Amino acid sequence: AYLPVQCGSTFDAFLQKFDSTGARKWGSYYGASGYDESRGAAIDSKQFIYICGSSSSNDSIASAGTHQPIKGGGYDGFAVKFCEPPAVSILSQKDTVCKNDVYSLASGGTHSSYSWSTGATTSSISVTALSTGSYTFTLTVTDSVGCPASAKKVIVVDPCTGIIEKSSADLRLYP
């Protein structure tokens, strides 16, 4: 979401998307320190979402370089463009690996660009588990119209020494 919580005012515009069963898929507030009210919404052919309204906020409504980056009077109008975040997930064969194992993480879909917290820009990465502990990987993707979304995956690295019983029929022996 652009803003997952209100911005210090009791009146912020908001946008919600629901699925066909009425369950909330995502949502966002839009506003700043003042009274920010949406008055209309529209969707274009590329599924960009536009909301317009009025604002008394002195901050965080306009971007630098826009027609009017600061408030010009008591209430000013605003128009803002949102995009629906693409579905993103991180796939792995296991969530727990042994120290010194090499494991792969992959995007759960096809996107226009990929950016991993490791700095990689490919759809999948290979990682060597050098130290024990819990590690969080983040993947940010962008779809064909430029909409971003992120996912996180936690991988636990165990020392894997001794014998670990997986089930009564499956036993693994480690050095």
Side-chain angles (χ1 to χ4, degrees):
Y2 173 73
L3 292 171
V5 296
Q6 283 186 289
C7 278
S9 158
T10 37
F11 299 102
D12 282 339
F14 70 93
L15 180 65
Q16 300 280 330
K17 169 121 187 213
F18 298 93
D19 68 16
S20 60
T21 68
R24 182 180 168 272
K25 289 181 71 175
W26 59 269
S28 182
Y29 288 102
Y30 186 75
S33 59
Y35 183 89
D36 308 298
E37 177 183 26
S38 61
R39 304 244 176 167
I43 299 175
D44 70 12
S45 62
K46 291 186 177 181
Q47 300 303 299
F48 286 109
I49 304 156
Y50 301 86
I51 61 172
C52 61
S54 61
S55 173
S56 68
S57 293
N58 290 316
D59 58 332
S60 303
I61 291 291
S63 303
T66 57
H67 170 69
Q68 185 179 323
I70 58 173
K71 185 172 86 166
Y75 282 88
D76 283 352
F78 69 82
V80 63
K81 177 175 146 181
F82 288 88
C83 58
E84 182 169 353
V88 60
S89 62
I90 299 175
L91 307 176
S92 64
Q93 292 176 330
K94 309 181 239 180
D95 292 340
T96 301
V97 298
C98 293
K99 184 178 176 186
N100 297 319
D101 278 355
V102 176
Y103 57 97
S104 295
L105 300 174
S107 170
T110 302
H111 305 285
S112 294
S113 70
Y114 306 87
S115 179
W116 293 88
S117 53
T118 62
T121 57
T122 54
S123 63
S124 63
I125 59 172
S126 291
V127 181
T128 302
L130 297 176
S131 301
T132 58
S134 185
Y135 299 90
T136 302
F137 294 88
T138 303
L139 170 62
T140 301
V141 301
T142 304
D143 68 9
S144 61
V145 294
C147 297
S150 295
K152 292 181 186 273
K153 180 78 166 181
V154 175
I155 300 292
V156 175
V157 179
D158 280 340
C160 297
T161 57
I163 298 174
I164 296 176
E165 186 176 331
K166 294 279 202 170
S167 70
S168 60
D170 180 26
L171 212 53
R172 289 179 71 180
L173 179 62
Y174 300 102

